[in-house]
Amino acid sequence: MKNRISLGYGSGGRLTRDLIKDLFLKNFDNPLLSKLSDSAVFDLHGEKVAVTTDSYVINPIFFPGGDIGKLSVCGTVNDLAVVGAAPLYITLGMIIEEGFPYKDLENITASIKNAAEGIGIKVITGDTKVTEKGKTDGIYINTTGIGVVDTDIKLGMDKIEKGDKIILSGNIGDHGIAVLSKREGFKFESDIESDCAPLNTLIYSAIRAGRIKFMRDPTRGGLAAVLNEITEEGNFEITVKEEEIPVDDRVMGACSILGLDPVYIANEGKVVMVVKPDDAAKILSAVRRDPLGANAAIIGEVTDSKGNSVYLETIYGSLRRIDMPLEDPLPRIC
Ligand code: MG
């Protein structure tokens, strides 16, 4: 019996997916929504248009490597990029708490401007609301992204086959650990920075280098959530090798101190690609040529065309099942 919404329902794991399927999908079901894709892609007068929306409630709003402004641009752009879309425009909805420092709002706005200019997109409409003191925790931001997809780009979980390789674009866990460190005041705080970054250029080069079947950015719930979404939706088995998954030593250290597993920690500048085996090496070099993909690796493959599990081959050679997280271990991470 579900009486109340817990924090876990917003954490991108099993609870979030259950809420979406049991309530939202049941009420709004249509062919575009039911794909549960990062962006909806549809035909509009001969153009393939991509639309996505995301709300940012991160705590703290300023963290090593970024802030809520940069995040609200990059996160949305990345959801466009993973469906193969070139980002064009974003909208900006701000919900601000009474008493919020004007200077902080200026800094957040400057971050949004810098991020948008760097990507080459424009903020084309927005909304501003202010709530009474205590009714919002500082500021929340919603952005909607609009992009276009080249007609020759064909991505989808239905394209995935046994033998396809899994490419991860770099180190996992930086964002989650950076935000948590700042929030909790841990002393490894100054060392680890969020990976918050726009992936559209990296992804564009990768698409041109070889056949990519499917992509998703491992944000809330981390690498584990994305791999499980693929195996569950597509009815596949995936095996990844622990020794191939890039993790910064400092993140690994922080995770062991805190009892966390980096495969469940959120990222904001990484992408998981399922690619045609013959093209994997070419795609990997294209990704590595981008500074954001310098540590990219082929971390595993689709090992069976049935089943729906994700396995991790440990450095000792044993197989460990990686389950879909019930909830992200760290709430309000994006
Ligand atoms: Mg996404």
Side-chain angles (χ1 to χ4, degrees):
M1 182 61 188
K2 305 176 189 105
N3 279 324
R4 305 276 177 184
I5 296 298
S6 64
L7 270 175
Y9 280 95
S11 71
R14 167 80 55 217
L15 287 174
T16 307
R17 285 188 82 75
D18 287 351
L19 182 65
I20 291 169
K21 285 182 174 169
D22 297 345
L23 188 61
F24 303 141
L25 210 48
K26 203 182 265 178
N27 282 278
F28 311 133
D29 193 21
N30 65 68
L32 283 174
L33 186 66
S34 65
K35 285 188 182 136
L36 298 180
S37 181
D38 293 86
S39 292
V41 179
F42 53 91
D43 278 312
L44 195 67
H45 304 299
E47 288 278 11
K48 262 165 80 180
V49 177
V51 176
T52 188
T53 194
D54 215 325
S55 301
Y56 299 87
V57 300
I58 191 165
N59 169 33
I61 52 179
F62 296 98
F63 51 85
D67 60 38
I68 194 171
K70 181 183 181 186
L71 183 65
S72 68
V73 176
C74 296
T76 293
V77 160
N78 291 345
D79 277 343
L80 289 174
V82 294
V83 300
L88 294 175
Y89 303 115
I90 58 165
T91 70
L92 184 61
M94 295 220 186
I95 300 166
I96 310 164
E97 182 186 12
E98 178 188 16
F100 190 76
Y102 194 91
K103 185 71 198 157
D104 286 352
L105 191 56
E106 275 185 337
N107 289 336
I108 290 165
T109 307
S111 287
I112 293 170
K113 176 182 157 76
N114 288 339
E117 282 179 359
I119 297 160
I121 57 171
K122 289 193 161 48
V123 176
I124 52 161
T125 186
D127 176 51
T128 310
K129 298 278 159 53
V130 179
T131 61
E132 302 93 325
K133 189 154 192 59
K135 307 283 181 174
T136 298
D137 190 5
I139 184 168
Y140 306 143
I141 297 180
N142 173 275
T143 56
T144 294
I146 298 162
V148 284
V149 186
D150 280 354
T151 43
D152 62 333
I153 295 174
K154 291 182 172 60
L155 297 164
M157 279 194 196
D158 57 325
K159 313 283 191 297
I160 300 174
E161 292 166 287
K162 183 180 173 181
D164 285 348
K165 300 287 184 193
I166 315 288
I167 293 177
L168 170 65
S169 68
N171 297 3
I172 53 166
D174 297 9
H175 177 75
I177 294 300
V179 171
L180 181 71
S181 309
K182 173 81 180 184
R183 189 192 297 173
E184 305 297 336
F186 296 138
K187 68 173 186 319
F188 40 80
E189 174 182 329
S190 55
D191 290 328
I192 303 158
E193 289 202 341
S194 165
D195 58 349
C196 178
L199 293 166
N200 55 305
T201 310
L202 177 150
I203 286 174
Y204 185 83
S205 320
I207 288 177
R208 297 298 151 202
R211 177 78 178 98
I212 299 176
K213 310 279 190 83
F214 182 78
M215 288 183 276
R216 181 157 287 170
D217 50 338
T219 54
R220 292 172 301 175
L223 179 64
V226 166
L227 295 177
N228 273 281
E229 283 161 17
I230 297 171
T231 55
E232 277 179 30
E233 304 285 324
N235 220 12
F236 289 111
E237 182 190 278
I238 286 176
T239 307
V240 292
K241 291 191 165 154
E242 187 174 22
E243 65 180 345
E244 302 299 338
I245 299 174
V247 188
D248 185 292
D249 287 344
R250 294 164 302 170
V251 168
M252 198 52 119
C255 280
S256 29
I257 292 167
L258 300 167
L260 299 168
D261 186 336
V263 299
Y264 292 106
I265 307 293
N267 311 278
E268 286 294 344
K270 295 294 159 354
V271 56
V272 175
M273 300 171 171
V274 185
V275 310
K276 191 178 156 195
D278 295 346
D279 290 355
K282 278 185 287 181
I283 296 168
L284 180 66
S285 0
V287 171
R288 281 186 175 161
R289 273 196 294 275
D290 190 299
L292 294 174
N295 288 341
I298 297 172
I299 60 163
E301 63 180 60
V302 178
T303 36
D304 207 329
S305 53
K306 54 189 184 312
N308 48 24
S309 302
V310 179
Y311 292 101
L312 180 85
E313 192 185 312
T314 68
I315 47 172
Y316 308 107
S318 58
L319 277 188
R320 176 161 71 88
R321 202 174 139 163
I322 303 277
D323 289 318
M324 174 70 109
L326 183 65
E327 51 190 328
D328 191 292
L330 317 171
R332 289 186 58 192
I333 206 73
C334 59

